[in-house]
Amino acid sequence: MTNEKQEPLIPPILLLGLGIASILVAITIAFTNSDNLVLALIAAGVGIGSLVGWGFLSQDQFSSVASGRALRFGGTSLLVTLIVIVALIAIYAGVRGLNLRLDVTQQENFSLPESARELITAYGNDPTQPPVRILAFYNDAASRDQATLLFDDFVQTSNNKISYEFVDPDQNPVIAEQYEITQAGQIAVVRLENGQPNLETALTVNSLSQESLTNTVIAVAALGDFRLYVLEVENGLSIENETPSGMSIYNQIITENYQFTTQSISIFDITSGTVNLTDPEADGIVLMIPGGTSALDDESLKVITDYLDGGGDAVIFADVNVEPNEESLATAPNLNEYLARVYGVNFTNSLVLDDRQNFQSLLAIVTNSFDPAHPVTETFASTNNVALLFDASHTLQFVETPPANVVLTTLVSSGPDSYSKSIDALAAENVEQVDTDPVGPFPIAIAAENQTNGSRLVLVGASNLLNNQSSQFSGSGVVNIDLSWNTALWTAGFFEFYENLPRGIRRDARAQDAPILASDNQLTLINFLSTLGIPFGILLLGGGVWFLRRSKVKES
Amino acid sequence: MRIIFAVYKRELGYYFRSPIAYAVAFALMLLLGLLFSGSVGQAVEFNLQAQQFQQQPITASQLISNVPTVLVFLLFLVAPLITMRLIAEENREGTLEVLMTLPMNESAFIIGKFLAAWTYYTIILLLTLIYYVMLSTISVPDAGQAFTIYLGAWLYGGAVIAVSMIWSAVTEDQIVAAFLGAATVLVLYLTEIGAFWASQQEITAGASDFIREIGLTAHYHSTLLQGIIRAEDIVYFILMIVGALFITTRLVEIRRWRA
């Protein structure tokens, strides 16, 4: 009869491991998080219990440890093992410190493509461009690992002019709010001034992409100081007004997308010096007259004409005053006499009607006749299915002999079947076309540029292009609001300012971007091979090996 | 070196003579094949609709990581199955003592066994390259990304096999070795969750990063799987293999000393 030793249900070594691990967990919790003391006590209890269990189940090992035998021999082994593990950790930490990374994707997903690299290098070498910081609002380490490679490339390519940091939006909600971050994964780019971020210059990118990040860095670094002053006039549109007849949406877009500073001002603000329309610090200033149903008095008009004569830039949107024998601000004789004399163009007191191209009313004309070369309208001229929708528009006219130093461009014209009628005729409810009515197309938006003093002026026949109601149609191809802010951008010199900037860097198309497409035959073959051919082939091979071995065993 | 090769040859021969090795490969390839053909079918169907509705199509680069991702996850089951018998069986049958009387040291014995297991896994991994070839016939996968995906999966497999081998040296019971190996690999796989939990707690700032860096996924999923090679990831896997094999060797030595 043999005295076989029965194997315990739980291997004692497991209890030893569990005991040591639990005690280590207990110590870690106790030192790092005093709030979870209960958890530490539980872990300690489990640890002690496991060690006691190990002592009972493996009395030989326990007595070996107690007598010091295990410590003498096993202890050396344990010590060597610990030394090796520490050495391995040290090697890992050393290599980690080297920060060696490589993007091997053919699509260059995590490094700058050549076009972006050139731009960032040029930015880095330009001493006039300020440094920028990229703040990546990530709450997971995996995203940080991936983005680090690209951000490092930005830093190195820009010669350390670009810096970056990761911010956990969950842990730092205040910072996230400052940069208007709405979700994790967004990236903010901000200009550094005296080493501190200027929050007003911050722009946001929604996801990690070399192209959008490059464009944003360049835009933030080159951000100009552009200002739009909107004159407060009687019944004119207001940038604070959020109703359909206000222009709050226009204001929001021009401030958020183009970083303009906007302000409603009165003539008094200009004369009192509260607002300096000729501030040399600004990169561009535009004075906007947003409609107005009453003529400006001569004194106020002089303030504006002095500004324009001094090379100032302005945009005038005409309003309609349907009261008989009254003029609107834009059609008033005092303003038009000046416009005709200095710029060779003026508003008329007639409105355009069109019985072919209209929207529900003869006065609500629709047109897609844009100048294809002017910066204000070139985008619309090259785009299909876009048009302007006027509520009612004054016509504009050129003087017979315009000043030689002024370049005039008709930005928008009415349709070829349009005709015009005076306000007085329309007031008499006479809208039908008669033979004596002037026939279109009529200019309804004109750009003038004085080449002597550099003044730029845009005249637009209708102020409804600015209002919030117009912006609601923008998704359906109505470009009223787009044309409105383009007039301000051009007059302020915004386009030229950014002309030399690398705008619109786009991702180069690569073969790897091709979608997965397969014929039915190809799909059938793939299905067959992957679900039947390969696995059952392996099974068959295994069966063959088993059969051969079985035969060999039988033979032997 | 000759001894390592002799042990390696003996073990590798065992894998290719054993029907269990083929059964494991069959089950794995069937599962991965179903996954691959299903995802290709779905991608083609989606892309046909995407063309009509001008949506962003699915590209081969998005699909190429599917199979290796599932494969490395399944390693928590496969690796212990491959390694459970390597030392435990020798222990149980008493052949370890006999082998140890031969003129060879423990490390050569362990390295030879490890290399054989890793070779078996490598063959399975190479078999999955057939999916890359198939994908190449209907689209253009990113070859650079594919390289890092497979390099990472290969190193990941090596590390997991080495860690699982420790338990085979600890216990004579193959089932216990497999169970403990699976648990260890799963814990190493799920450290990302532990790190996330730690980041939500008010414990020291570095604790979360430390926990994450111990785990396997931080060194594969967020870098190598995406096409990024980081020296620290490659070194992590190599050191993991070296460390685990060292511990296994020590355990075998202890057994010898006890005997």
Side-chain angles (χ1 to χ4, degrees):
Chain A
M1 196 175 157
T2 54
N3 187 19
E4 277 187 58
K5 199 174 178 181
Q6 204 176 356
E7 186 88 6
L9 187 64
I10 305 167
I13 192 78
L14 185 65
L15 286 175
L16 178 63
L18 182 67
I20 294 169
S22 301
I23 287 171
L24 283 174
V25 167
I27 293 167
T28 309
I29 294 172
F31 276 96
T32 54
N33 189 354
S34 54
D35 293 341
N36 279 337
L37 213 59
V38 177
L39 200 63
L41 288 173
I42 292 170
V46 170
I48 292 164
S50 300
L51 289 177
V52 171
W54 167 72
F56 271 110
L57 289 173
S58 182
Q59 290 174 6
D60 292 349
Q61 286 178 11
F62 183 75
S63 61
S64 172
V65 170
S67 65
R69 185 168 168 258
L71 287 178
R72 273 203 307 280
F73 297 96
T76 313
S77 189
L78 185 69
L79 191 66
V80 171
T81 307
L82 282 175
I83 290 168
V84 168
I85 289 171
V86 169
L88 294 179
I89 292 171
I91 293 169
Y92 172 77
V95 173
R96 191 174 182 272
L98 294 174
N99 198 24
L100 297 173
R101 292 149 194 260
L102 190 64
D103 172 17
V104 295
T105 58
Q106 289 178 302
Q107 293 172 291
E108 296 177 309
N109 289 336
F110 306 100
S111 48
L112 288 171
E114 201 47 46
S115 54
R117 193 174 295 280
E118 284 173 15
L119 296 172
I120 297 296
T121 306
Y123 156 74
N125 294 334
D126 185 349
T128 63
Q129 303 267 18
V132 299
R133 179 169 294 162
I134 297 169
L135 291 102
F137 289 86
Y138 289 159
N139 58 4
D140 66 308
S143 302
R144 288 200 292 269
D145 281 346
Q146 288 163 26
T148 299
L149 191 60
L150 179 60
F151 293 160
D152 282 342
D153 208 356
F154 269 108
V155 174
Q156 284 160 17
T157 311
S158 69
N159 209 9
N160 292 320
K161 207 162 176 178
I162 298 172
S163 55
Y164 71 89
E165 67 177 282
F166 291 105
V167 181
D168 187 334
D170 301 330
Q171 306 280 346
N172 305 284
V174 177
I175 300 176
E177 201 175 323
Q178 280 177 337
Y179 287 93
E180 297 178 4
I181 296 298
T182 53
Q183 59 187 31
Q186 288 183 311
I187 302 164
V189 182
V190 63
R191 190 198 291 185
L192 294 179
E193 289 169 5
N194 299 322
Q196 295 300 314
N198 179 351
L199 292 177
E200 286 183 6
T201 64
L203 293 178
T204 311
V205 180
N206 283 328
S207 61
L208 186 71
S209 131
Q210 303 98 317
E211 290 78 16
S212 52
L213 212 48
T214 303
N215 287 337
T216 310
V217 164
I218 299 296
V220 167
L223 221 52
D225 178 6
F226 290 95
R227 303 172 197 174
L228 173 69
Y229 294 112
V230 182
L231 197 65
E232 292 167 351
V233 291
E234 188 179 342
N235 295 322
L237 279 78
S238 162
I239 53 174
E240 286 89 22
N241 186 349
E242 293 178 357
T243 66
S245 60
M247 53 183 285
S248 59
I249 294 176
Y250 175 96
N251 183 51
Q252 185 187 349
I253 291 168
I254 207 154
T255 52
E256 290 182 5
N257 290 13
Y258 299 99
Q259 283 73 50
F260 267 60
T261 308
T262 59
Q263 189 181 340
S264 287
I265 60 164
S266 62
I267 292 290
F268 178 73
D269 290 329
I270 304 170
T271 53
S272 65
T274 312
V275 170
N276 181 5
L277 291 180
T278 55
D279 186 352
E281 294 290 313
D283 293 298
I285 293 176
V286 187
L287 178 68
M288 176 186 277
I289 301 179
T293 50
S294 299
L296 289 170
D297 60 67
D298 290 346
E299 208 171 299
S300 300
L301 183 63
K302 188 170 183 313
V303 174
I304 293 167
T305 56
D306 284 350
Y307 164 66
L308 290 172
D309 290 341
D313 306 309
V315 188
I316 303 174
F317 286 84
D319 206 342
V320 179
N321 187 345
V322 290
E323 295 297 320
N325 305 319
E326 284 193 19
E327 307 286 350
S328 73
L329 186 154
T331 57
N334 57 354
L335 175 65
N336 281 289
E337 184 276 322
Y338 170 80
L339 293 176
R341 178 168 49 80
V342 177
Y343 290 97
V345 63
N346 64 276
F347 290 100
T348 73
N349 206 21
S350 297
L351 298 179
V352 188
L353 296 95
D354 198 324
D355 57 7
R356 282 179 186 265
Q357 292 180 205
N358 66 51
F359 181 70
Q360 296 178 343
S361 154
L362 291 174
L363 277 167
I365 63 163
V366 176
T367 180
N368 61 356
S369 176
F370 302 107
D371 183 272
H374 199 278
V376 173
T377 47
E378 61 181 350
T379 318
F380 314 130
S382 61
T383 311
N384 292 328
N385 302 322
V386 297
L388 288 174
L389 173 60
F390 290 81
D391 199 7
S393 176
H394 283 280
T395 61
L396 293 156
Q397 67 181 21
F398 298 103
V399 297
E400 280 186 16
T401 317
N405 61 342
V406 174
V407 177
L408 293 165
T409 310
T410 302
L411 299 174
V412 185
S413 305
S414 61
D417 299 315
S418 60
Y419 56 96
S420 73
K421 281 183 181 291
S422 68
I423 297 276
D424 291 342
L426 287 168
E429 296 184 358
N430 181 15
V431 293
E432 293 301 320
Q433 185 175 12
V434 294
D435 292 342
T436 52
D437 288 337
V439 180
F442 302 102
I444 43 183
I446 288 176
E449 186 169 11
N450 186 322
Q451 293 187 312
T452 308
N453 61 15
S455 167
R456 284 178 173 182
L457 179 70
V458 175
L459 307 179
V460 184
S463 61
N464 80 291
L465 268 67
L466 290 166
N467 67 25
N468 294 338
Q469 196 168 12
S470 276
S471 64
Q472 290 168 6
F473 298 120
S474 59
S476 41
V478 177
V479 290
N480 287 13
I481 202 89
D482 310 67
L483 180 112
S484 306
W485 71 60
N486 268 5
T487 59
L489 299 180
W490 176 72
T491 47
F494 185 88
F495 293 134
E496 288 91 336
F497 184 83
Y498 284 97
E499 201 167 49
N500 296 324
L501 295 180
R503 289 187 301 153
I505 301 298
R506 291 183 194 283
R507 184 185 175 85
D508 298 330
R510 293 170 198 270
Q512 287 79 17
D513 296 332
I516 297 173
L517 291 170
S519 64
D520 287 345
N521 285 344
Q522 283 174 315
L523 279 179
T524 308
L525 185 64
I526 286 171
N527 282 342
F528 172 76
L529 281 175
S530 40
T531 58
L532 294 172
I534 300 165
F536 284 94
I538 292 168
L539 195 64
L540 207 62
L541 195 66
V545 168
W546 174 78
F547 183 76
L548 283 175
R549 272 186 55 76
R550 195 162 163 266
S551 306
K552 272 187 183 174
V553 169
K554 272 187 180 174
E555 279 172 21
S556 64
Chain B
M1 201 65 191
R2 271 195 10 246
I3 296 165
I4 293 176
F5 185 68
V7 176
Y8 170 76
K9 218 171 120 183
R10 173 177 169 264
E11 283 303 319
L12 199 62
Y14 177 83
Y15 280 118
F16 287 99
R17 286 194 301 273
S18 159
I20 294 169
Y22 291 95
V24 169
F26 161 75
L28 206 54
M29 293 305 286
L30 182 66
L31 192 67
L32 297 176
L34 285 169
L35 170 82
F36 176 75
S37 68
S39 53
V40 167
Q42 277 185 344
V44 170
E45 200 176 323
F46 176 84
N47 284 348
L48 289 172
Q49 288 177 355
Q51 282 182 333
Q52 289 176 354
F53 299 107
Q54 294 187 330
Q55 289 173 309
Q56 195 71 23
I58 297 173
T59 63
S61 301
Q62 290 163 270
L63 227 58
I64 196 174
S65 58
N66 282 8
V67 166
T69 306
V70 175
L71 178 63
V72 297
F73 169 71
L74 290 176
L75 276 176
F76 92 92
L77 289 174
V78 176
L81 285 178
I82 297 172
T83 58
M84 64 183 188
R85 49 156 285 281
L86 283 178
I87 302 163
E89 195 177 58
E90 307 268 15
N91 261 323
R92 194 169 191 83
E93 291 177 1
T95 50
L96 187 64
E97 280 77 10
V98 178
L99 283 167
M100 291 297 115
T101 58
L102 297 174
M104 68 171 176
N105 61 23
E106 291 85 353
S107 57
F109 173 72
I110 298 299
I111 291 169
K113 278 184 173 281
F114 164 74
L115 288 178
W118 201 10
T119 305
Y120 172 72
Y121 166 73
T122 307
I123 290 166
I124 292 178
L125 188 66
L126 288 175
L127 276 174
T128 65
L129 273 175
I130 191 81
Y131 303 128
Y132 175 80
V133 176
M134 283 192 237
L135 213 48
S136 304
T137 62
I138 54 170
S139 189
V140 187
D142 192 312
Q145 189 187 1
F147 170 73
T148 59
I149 287 172
Y150 277 87
L151 172 72
W154 183 63
L155 290 169
Y156 188 110
V160 163
I161 287 168
V163 168
S164 301
M165 265 182 79
I166 296 174
W167 294 108
S168 184
V170 166
T171 173
E172 293 172 3
D173 192 322
Q174 292 187 29
I175 303 300
V176 173
F179 171 75
L180 292 172
T184 311
V185 176
L186 199 59
V187 166
L188 287 171
Y189 185 89
L190 296 175
T191 45
E192 200 98 26
I193 296 170
F196 181 75
W197 174 83
S199 71
Q200 303 298 309
Q201 311 303 311
E202 289 178 1
I203 56 176
T204 49
S208 166
D209 287 341
F210 177 74
I211 294 169
R212 186 171 174 269
E213 298 236 358
I214 291 173
L216 293 159
T217 47
H219 300 279
Y220 182 62
H221 286 74
S222 55
T223 50
L224 288 162
L225 198 64
Q226 312 297 328
I228 299 170
I229 294 181
R230 283 195 312 184
E232 67 204 71
D233 296 331
I234 307 292
V235 167
Y236 167 85
F237 287 121
I238 292 170
L239 295 182
M240 192 77 142
I241 292 169
V242 171
L245 292 183
F246 183 81
I247 292 169
T248 310
T249 309
R250 288 276 84 87
L251 288 167
V252 172
E253 272 179 357
I254 288 169
R255 275 190 179 277
R256 192 183 192 183
W257 165 72
R258 275 189 195 152

